[in-house]
Amino acid sequence: VLLTCAALAARALVFTASASAADHLTPPGGLLKLDADLVLSGADKLELAGTKEKPCTLEGGNFRIVTRGKWTGAIRMVHCKIHKLGKSENPADARLAPDCEVILVQASGKGEVGIENCTFDECNGLSVNNGDQSTTRFLRNTVLENSLNRIDKQPGLTRCFFSASGASPAPKFFQGNRIYRGSTSFGSPNWLVGGDKDEESNIVAGLRTGIFATSPDTVVRGNYLECNLKVTEEFIYWSQVSTFSTKGLAEHNVINRGHWVVRGIEGEFRYNLVMEPHGHNSIQIGKGKVHHNIFAHPCREPDHFGSSNIIGASSVISQIYATDGFEIYNNTFDGKGLGNGIDIPRESFCPSVRNNAFFNFEAARVIGPGWDEKAAEPLPERLGYADYNLFHNPAMKPCDNYAIAVKGKQERKDAGFALNDVPKGGGINAQCDPKFKGPIPVKFPFALDDIKAGKVTVSQILKFYRDAYSPAPGSPLMDAGDPADGTGIDIGAVDAGKPAVWKTP
């Protein structure tokens, strides 16, 4: 029987939950202490109804909250301090322990998981499977750095903190959270991760942190991601670190650090800031659209050999894993320290590279074949369209704008292959100063502690970079984009001329 708040207030606010199936309500200021796994079945409900002034406490004792059978009930945890929920894993064991999560839930019917304004202290991860029309809300929670979800140098021995699966089409929300250890994974449809307001931004920063959205219906918007790659006695190296991927829509995010900062784009990736690849690439693409993004800065942390980060063999976009179906347009690439620009390897084909600004590159070529391929004549024909781009790379000696070609076209002579690159009518490998507003940042100017504390917001970071890379008055970028895209189209990620009117979304 679900006890009323009035009845509970007449008792001591300490409750012990065993494995028996029942409803559980903990009122404001109450303590729920587990002496076994708390098993929910049928329409069972669990509610920890804390307030900001009187938070609840859940002492997990390293037990779990799990569901059994077709569970259609509700978990509601608000303003709760959650301590030692979920099993600990032995780091000496080379295997991942089964079923060690804090909450291991399969929701059916119109079941509901709502966790808001909670702090997870020495807890393992959450796994929520939403079936039928069930929903999940994970809002304004904090996952401390001492969480128990396993982090390892190898990705196969690493566990997410939050994992979502299932086929429920109902709207689901992951907003305003602070995740300081482990990644988040969204495999079920119709998640909104982040939002339009700064208070809805998720700050995901720490060891093996990241957001991985594998459902094409997921929107990831307005978040800050920073993966910690520091070498320590425990983590003497890192392998296969990536920080973000999506099969849906990703926009207005700040994504910072990783061997591959973004590894896996099969949807639409737009209006993001991507920084600090460590030894590999800023982005690895499969299919979809990559547009209106700013790419900048190599990672400055030492690698596991104790030297500074080695970037020379990397590229901003490389290691294509699909043969075609992706477009790269209206991006600003600041190549200072980042190797090549775009690599299109063997047996791959890029339909369109247009309206991009390539700036500050120092490596051998800007757009070319795979990073492990030497220059070849005739140029490999791996582009479907390449035009209305701007190159300004004075440190590149000699300059090589294109080391791959558009089939059947001559560079700088035919429309569709650099004829309309800036300056229009220029020679092969012509360069042109984009005249950005500046000053151009040489390193990320914001402190992580300030971002965690909310003193610096995602919108402020994006504004800083967009201002710096916006065209100044008289810039050749303004209104110089491909007229096939519409009117007033600028080159680069930031529009500053006539208002852009796109013919297609």
Side-chain angles (χ1 to χ4, degrees):
V1 178
L2 183 63
L3 298 177
T4 66
C5 286
L8 285 167
R11 302 168 52 183
L13 300 183
V14 179
F15 305 88
T16 300
S18 65
S20 61
D23 290 344
H24 298 272
L25 171 61
T26 303
L31 167 65
L32 175 63
K33 188 174 183 179
L34 301 187
D35 63 4
D37 285 352
L38 177 57
V39 180
L40 304 173
S41 61
D44 289 346
K45 297 181 178 65
L46 169 65
E47 184 168 0
L48 290 96
T51 65
K52 185 177 181 180
E53 294 74 21
K54 292 184 177 181
C56 291
T57 300
L58 172 55
E59 283 290 348
N62 292 125
F63 296 109
R64 305 169 301 157
I65 298 170
V66 299
T67 59
R68 178 185 296 151
K70 189 175 177 66
W71 176 69
T72 59
I75 295 174
R76 302 186 184 104
M77 306 169 73
V78 181
H79 285 291
C80 187
K81 299 177 181 178
I82 304 170
H83 184 231
K84 288 194 175 179
L85 191 63
K87 295 181 179 179
S88 183
E89 296 180 85
N90 180 6
D93 193 336
R95 301 163 295 177
L96 286 174
D99 299 338
C100 64
E101 287 88 352
V102 169
I103 297 176
L104 187 58
V105 170
Q106 292 193 11
S108 303
K110 293 187 177 180
E112 174 191 344
V113 178
I115 303 173
E116 304 179 28
N117 297 103
C118 295
T119 299
F120 291 84
D121 183 5
E122 291 188 273
C123 295
N124 213 309
L126 285 76
S127 177
V128 180
N129 182 290
N130 285 109
D132 297 332
Q133 293 293 321
S134 62
T135 63
T136 294
R137 302 183 315 279
F138 195 82
L139 309 177
R140 300 177 299 278
N141 302 294
T142 299
V143 177
L144 299 178
E145 295 176 352
N146 63 1
S147 65
L148 303 179
N149 53 305
R150 184 166 178 180
I151 302 297
D152 195 271
K153 301 179 291 296
Q154 299 292 341
L157 296 176
T158 295
R159 194 184 297 273
C160 291
F161 186 85
F162 184 92
S163 178
S165 59
S168 168
K172 296 173 280 289
F173 300 92
F174 189 92
Q175 298 175 311
N177 301 293
R178 303 292 185 265
I179 310 295
Y180 298 145
R181 181 181 173 95
S183 62
T184 59
S185 173
F186 301 90
S188 50
N190 210 6
W191 276 95
L192 176 57
V193 182
D196 296 317
K197 303 173 182 177
D198 278 323
E199 55 265 33
E200 295 172 333
S201 298
N202 298 291
I203 309 301
V204 183
L207 295 174
R208 287 275 184 190
T209 51
I211 294 176
F212 303 96
T214 59
S215 170
D217 300 310
T218 292
V219 175
V220 183
R221 177 183 297 133
N223 304 285
Y224 180 83
L225 286 68
E226 181 173 325
C227 187
N228 185 341
L229 284 166
K230 290 182 179 178
V231 176
T232 66
E233 291 184 5
E234 180 181 6
F235 302 107
I236 59 174
Y237 67 90
W238 293 99
S239 176
Q240 303 285 311
V241 176
S242 57
T243 308
F244 182 79
S245 68
T246 185
K247 292 185 177 180
L249 172 63
E251 59 184 2
H252 305 294
N253 301 286
V254 178
I255 310 173
N256 196 1
R257 297 187 187 179
H259 293 143
W260 298 265
V261 184
V262 179
R263 193 178 196 188
I265 296 296
E266 296 188 12
E268 188 165 5
F269 189 80
R270 65 189 189 188
Y271 303 105
N272 302 289
L273 171 62
V274 181
M275 300 173 292
E276 300 199 22
H278 193 287
H280 288 287
N281 317 113
S282 297
I283 185 169
Q284 184 188 42
I285 187 173
K287 53 188 176 181
K289 297 179 179 180
V290 175
H291 64 95
H292 290 91
N293 305 287
I294 296 172
F295 297 88
H297 306 318
C299 185
R300 302 297 180 184
E301 292 180 352
D303 64 17
H304 64 274
F305 297 108
S307 61
S308 60
N309 184 28
I310 301 171
I311 287 292
S314 72
S315 304
V316 180
I317 298 180
S318 187
Q319 297 184 319
I320 313 300
Y321 60 90
T323 56
D324 54 25
F326 56 94
E327 299 179 58
I328 303 169
Y329 61 94
N330 284 96
N331 301 284
T332 295
F333 298 92
D334 185 344
K336 184 70 173 179
L338 291 180
N340 299 329
I342 300 173
D343 291 346
I344 308 298
R346 301 174 184 89
E347 301 180 0
S348 294
F349 181 81
C350 179
S352 183
V353 179
R354 65 187 191 275
N355 304 339
N356 300 288
F358 297 92
F359 171 73
N360 254 345
F361 284 89
E362 301 172 318
R365 60 204 181 204
V366 181
I367 302 173
W371 63 271
D372 59 344
E373 298 180 66
K374 295 181 179 180
E377 291 289 345
L379 300 181
E381 295 177 333
R382 299 177 187 174
L383 294 171
Y385 184 88
D387 216 340
Y388 296 92
N389 298 300
L390 178 145
F391 301 82
H392 182 62
N393 307 291
M396 182 183 287
K397 306 289 186 185
C399 294
D400 191 356
N401 295 348
Y402 297 95
I404 53 176
V406 176
K407 186 176 181 179
K409 294 184 181 293
Q410 288 185 281
E411 183 178 355
R412 276 302 207 172
K413 293 184 179 181
D414 293 325
F417 189 21
L419 176 66
N420 300 289
D421 281 358
V422 180
K424 189 172 182 178
I428 290 178
N429 299 321
Q431 307 291 298
C432 184
D433 188 343
K435 296 183 180 178
F436 291 123
K437 179 180 177 182
I440 299 301
V442 296
K443 64 179 181 178
F444 187 57
F446 303 103
L448 179 57
D449 286 345
D450 289 339
I451 297 170
K452 288 180 176 180
K455 296 177 181 179
V456 175
T457 66
V458 170
S459 64
Q460 287 172 333
I461 297 171
L462 291 174
K463 183 180 185 303
F464 172 85
Y465 275 85
R466 289 167 180 170
D467 283 349
Y469 289 102
S470 66
S475 167
L477 300 170
M478 286 195 287
D479 306 326
D482 194 334
D485 286 317
T487 59
I489 307 298
D490 284 14
I491 292 174
V494 184
D495 185 73
K498 298 176 183 178
V501 179
W502 288 77
K503 293 181 179 179
T504 58

